[in-house]
PDB file of all heavy atoms in Angstrom:
ATOM      1  N   ASP A 207      17.606  11.874 -26.339  1.00  0.00           N
ATOM      2  CA  ASP A 207      17.694  10.459 -25.967  1.00  0.00           C
ATOM      3  C   ASP A 207      16.287   9.880 -25.817  1.00  0.00           C
ATOM      4  O   ASP A 207      15.456  10.424 -25.104  1.00  0.00           O
ATOM      5  CB  ASP A 207      18.459  10.355 -24.638  1.00  0.00           C
ATOM      6  CG  ASP A 207      18.607   8.911 -24.185  1.00  0.00           C
ATOM      7  OD1 ASP A 207      18.399   8.005 -25.016  1.00  0.00           O
ATOM      8  OD2 ASP A 207      18.927   8.693 -23.002  1.00  0.00           O
ATOM      9  N   LYS A 208      16.022   8.766 -26.503  1.00  0.00           N
ATOM     10  CA  LYS A 208      14.682   8.166 -26.468  1.00  0.00           C
ATOM     11  C   LYS A 208      14.624   6.928 -25.557  1.00  0.00           C
ATOM     12  O   LYS A 208      13.724   6.106 -25.684  1.00  0.00           O
ATOM     13  CB  LYS A 208      14.255   7.757 -27.893  1.00  0.00           C
ATOM     14  CG  LYS A 208      14.069   8.922 -28.842  1.00  0.00           C
ATOM     15  CD  LYS A 208      12.637   9.435 -28.786  1.00  0.00           C
ATOM     16  CE  LYS A 208      12.350  10.512 -29.818  1.00  0.00           C
ATOM     17  NZ  LYS A 208      12.146  11.832 -29.205  1.00  0.00           N
ATOM     18  N   SER A 209      15.607   6.775 -24.654  1.00  0.00           N
ATOM     19  CA  SER A 209      15.616   5.585 -23.795  1.00  0.00           C
ATOM     20  C   SER A 209      14.413   5.574 -22.868  1.00  0.00           C
ATOM     21  O   SER A 209      14.083   6.596 -22.265  1.00  0.00           O
ATOM     22  CB  SER A 209      16.863   5.558 -22.917  1.00  0.00           C
ATOM     23  OG  SER A 209      18.005   5.611 -23.706  1.00  0.00           O
ATOM     24  N   VAL A 210      13.791   4.413 -22.738  1.00  0.00           N
ATOM     25  CA  VAL A 210      12.728   4.243 -21.753  1.00  0.00           C
ATOM     26  C   VAL A 210      13.068   3.033 -20.886  1.00  0.00           C
ATOM     27  O   VAL A 210      13.922   2.222 -21.239  1.00  0.00           O
ATOM     28  CB  VAL A 210      11.345   4.020 -22.419  1.00  0.00           C
ATOM     29  CG1 VAL A 210      10.886   5.255 -23.149  1.00  0.00           C
ATOM     30  CG2 VAL A 210      11.362   2.809 -23.343  1.00  0.00           C
ATOM     31  N   TYR A 211      12.392   2.952 -19.754  1.00  0.00           N
ATOM     32  CA  TYR A 211      12.540   1.792 -18.872  1.00  0.00           C
ATOM     33  C   TYR A 211      11.356   0.883 -19.169  1.00  0.00           C
ATOM     34  O   TYR A 211      10.198   1.309 -19.088  1.00  0.00           O
ATOM     35  CB  TYR A 211      12.505   2.259 -17.414  1.00  0.00           C
ATOM     36  CG  TYR A 211      12.619   1.134 -16.413  1.00  0.00           C
ATOM     37  CD1 TYR A 211      13.859   0.737 -15.930  1.00  0.00           C
ATOM     38  CD2 TYR A 211      11.486   0.464 -15.949  1.00  0.00           C
ATOM     39  CE1 TYR A 211      13.969  -0.300 -15.013  1.00  0.00           C
ATOM     40  CE2 TYR A 211      11.591  -0.571 -15.038  1.00  0.00           C
ATOM     41  CZ  TYR A 211      12.835  -0.948 -14.576  1.00  0.00           C
ATOM     42  OH  TYR A 211      12.937  -1.973 -13.673  1.00  0.00           O
ATOM     43  N   ARG A 212      11.624  -0.377 -19.550  1.00  0.00           N
ATOM     44  CA  ARG A 212      10.522  -1.296 -19.864  1.00  0.00           C
ATOM     45  C   ARG A 212      10.953  -2.693 -19.454  1.00  0.00           C
ATOM     46  O   ARG A 212      11.787  -3.314 -20.112  1.00  0.00           O
ATOM     47  CB  ARG A 212      10.217  -1.241 -21.365  1.00  0.00           C
ATOM     48  CG  ARG A 212       9.051  -2.111 -21.811  1.00  0.00           C
ATOM     49  CD  ARG A 212       8.715  -1.818 -23.279  1.00  0.00           C
ATOM     50  NE  ARG A 212       7.587  -2.615 -23.735  1.00  0.00           N
ATOM     51  CZ  ARG A 212       7.686  -3.674 -24.530  1.00  0.00           C
ATOM     52  NH1 ARG A 212       8.889  -4.070 -24.952  1.00  0.00           N
ATOM     53  NH2 ARG A 212       6.611  -4.339 -24.893  1.00  0.00           N
ATOM     54  N   GLU A 213      10.427  -3.176 -18.333  1.00  0.00           N
ATOM     55  CA  GLU A 213      10.873  -4.448 -17.771  1.00  0.00           C
ATOM     56  C   GLU A 213       9.686  -5.295 -17.322  1.00  0.00           C
ATOM     57  O   GLU A 213       8.695  -4.765 -16.820  1.00  0.00           O
ATOM     58  CB  GLU A 213      11.796  -4.197 -16.568  1.00  0.00           C
ATOM     59  CG  GLU A 213      13.139  -3.572 -16.919  1.00  0.00           C
ATOM     60  CD  GLU A 213      14.004  -4.453 -17.798  1.00  0.00           C
ATOM     61  OE1 GLU A 213      14.103  -5.657 -17.523  1.00  0.00           O
ATOM     62  OE2 GLU A 213      14.575  -3.926 -18.770  1.00  0.00           O
ATOM     63  N   SER A 214       9.829  -6.612 -17.466  1.00  0.00           N
ATOM     64  CA  SER A 214       8.776  -7.540 -17.053  1.00  0.00           C
ATOM     65  C   SER A 214       8.728  -7.677 -15.541  1.00  0.00           C
ATOM     66  O   SER A 214       9.767  -7.862 -14.904  1.00  0.00           O
ATOM     67  CB  SER A 214       9.026  -8.935 -17.639  1.00  0.00           C
ATOM     68  OG  SER A 214       8.922  -8.902 -19.029  1.00  0.00           O
TER      69      SER A 214
END
Side-chain angles (χ1 to χ4, degrees):
D207 181 16
K208 294 271 186 249
S209 303
V210 293
Y211 179 91
R212 182 172 181 255
E213 292 296 315
S214 295

